[in-house]
Amino acid sequence: NDSTQASSKTGVVIGLVLDERGHAMAGAKVWGGFSQQPFAQDTTDQSGRFSLDKFAVPPFVTVTADGYAAEQQEFDSTNVPGPLLFRLTPSRPLQVRAVDESGQGVAGAGLFLQQWWGRAGTLGQHLPQKTEADGRLRWLSPPKGELEITISKSGYRYSRTNKLAVDGEEHTIVLH
């Protein structure tokens, strides 16, 4: 098993990312703090290991990989833990379609994750991709559970407090 091999990754916060079967996950994105301004970031190596060279507040480490539910762990910044272990499970994409009042797709709208696991600001993630010409957006690594999202586009009012689940269905949100 790759997870038992010694890692060349060193840092203040280190960890291992595995899939649900215990296999190392190479190429997963890892960051500390908020995604928009992480205090440190890394990508897992072939053995699924990562290291963050520093820590700050908020003391969260988040891991994402396309096709898997995002995971996050909080740690005590006064007592940095030993290696963090993440086990990612497969997930369907979150499918959203932003439309105007006439039902036409709104291109270029952005999605912001307001709450995840009932906590505001723990992920605070603006997705880098925007809705396509038909108003559709597929998020390939959403977290599990109830998500509260905001959809926004210049020239439209924000659509806030949309509570969605990753359930395989396309969620339509009207922008006014």
Side-chain angles (χ1 to χ4, degrees):
N1 186 335
D2 290 342
S3 65
T4 61
Q5 294 177 354
S7 175
S8 62
K9 294 216 174 209
T10 59
V12 176
V13 179
I14 59 172
L16 178 64
V17 180
L18 305 174
D19 67 14
E20 75 283 2
R21 293 183 177 155
H23 298 116
M25 292 190 62
K29 292 178 177 58
V30 182
W31 68 86
F34 293 114
S35 66
Q36 297 304 308
Q37 295 181 325
F39 56 76
Q41 48 193 334
D42 195 12
T43 301
T44 56
D45 63 16
Q46 290 301 314
S47 65
R49 298 192 184 278
F50 68 87
S51 70
L52 303 177
D53 58 357
K54 58 185 169 184
F55 69 90
V57 175
F60 295 108
V61 174
T62 305
V63 177
T64 64
D66 288 353
Y68 292 85
E71 286 291 337
Q72 184 177 78
Q73 291 183 32
E74 183 174 10
F75 62 90
D76 179 357
S77 61
T78 63
N79 185 20
V80 179
L84 298 175
L85 175 63
F86 289 86
R87 289 189 183 268
L88 301 186
T89 58
S91 177
R92 295 177 174 172
L94 176 64
Q95 301 177 90
V96 176
R97 183 162 190 241
V99 299
D100 63 18
E101 293 167 319
S102 69
Q104 297 298 308
V106 175
L111 182 146
F112 180 77
L113 181 59
Q114 288 291 138
Q115 288 197 29
W116 172 28
W117 296 339
R119 292 170 37 185
T122 60
L123 186 58
Q125 182 171 1
H126 285 279
L127 292 186
Q129 70 267 30
K130 304 290 184 198
T131 56
E132 297 176 0
D134 62 0
R136 287 186 168 87
L137 182 142
R138 290 184 56 178
W139 184 6
L140 299 178
S141 59
K144 290 186 176 178
E146 183 179 79
L147 310 178
E148 186 176 315
I149 65 167
T150 295
I151 299 284
S152 62
K153 164 84 179 184
S154 181
Y156 294 86
R157 289 187 298 190
Y158 284 74
S159 178
R160 301 173 196 254
T161 64
N162 298 288
K163 293 185 179 184
L164 309 176
V166 179
D167 56 11
E169 301 294 320
E170 180 177 84
H171 303 275
T172 300
I173 297 172
V174 178
L175 294 176
H176 300 276

